Amino acid sequence: MTGALPVAQDVAPPGGADDTVTLSYDDRFLRRKRLVSDGGLAFVVDLAKTTSVEAGECFVLADGRKVAVAAADENLLEVRGDLPRLAWHVGNRHTPCQIEADRLLIQRDHVIRDMLNRLGAEVAEIVAPFSPEGGAYGHGRTHAHEHGHTTHHGHSHDH
């Protein structure tokens, strides 16, 4: 291969893509990374700051080409039941959650699953794309820590 890889230094709204790159939820939180598009194009993402890129948004290459981001299939829990109550408990655990009219989708986590079962939820393991809600106030992700534990996170909250 000759020359440097194309570089994307910006993210644009959906539309006008020349190719796609399929990434998991965790992989869509990035600043600098080498990626290969679904069509085989290798490129480097070099953003000014760590960014949560949403499915549908596009990396804009220096030559103007756009590579749309697609959400990869992931191992998830599909949650059904009293959704407002269950969503409150999921949110209280700072767990990324995709909220739909008839279900919640979260990443597989045995601790959260146990809590949901105790709350009377119907929980099923599925494989599907994952695009959880962004954080409040338009700031993307609210927490960037590991999941699957029940210890206090050390955050101070004013109630």
Side-chain angles (χ1 to χ4, degrees), residues 15-144:
D18 301 293
D19 202 344
T20 59
V21 61
T22 302
L23 301 171
S24 71
Y25 172 67
D26 290 336
D27 288 341
R28 294 192 313 264
F29 190 63
L30 71 166
R31 191 190 81 70
R32 183 170 169 78
K33 189 171 188 176
R34 181 187 185 276
L35 298 174
V36 178
S37 75
D38 299 338
L41 172 68
F43 64 101
V44 174
V45 174
D46 188 11
L47 303 174
K49 62 182 181 178
T50 302
T51 302
S52 182
V53 181
E54 300 299 323
E57 292 182 321
C58 299
F59 292 116
V60 181
L61 303 180
D63 64 7
R65 288 180 291 173
K66 292 182 180 180
V67 180
V69 174
D73 281 346
E74 300 189 47
N75 294 324
L76 304 174
L77 294 177
E78 178 184 69
V79 181
R80 295 181 186 271
D82 182 0
L83 295 186
R85 180 172 172 254
L86 297 170
W88 185 91
H89 283 282
V90 167
N92 194 42
R93 302 314 185 277
H94 306 293
T95 300
C97 182
Q98 182 173 327
I99 301 170
E100 298 180 359
D102 61 346
R103 67 182 184 170
L104 306 175
L105 297 177
I106 61 172
Q107 293 168 315
R108 288 189 192 170
D109 179 308
H110 70 278
V111 173
I112 301 296
R113 182 182 189 144
D114 180 58
M115 174 198 71
L116 292 166
N117 285 332
R118 284 184 281 116
L119 292 168
E122 299 170 34
V123 182
E125 292 184 357
I126 66 167
V127 176
F130 186 50
S131 293
E133 291 291 314
Y137 314 108
H139 295 300
R141 300 184 188 203
T142 55
H143 297 276

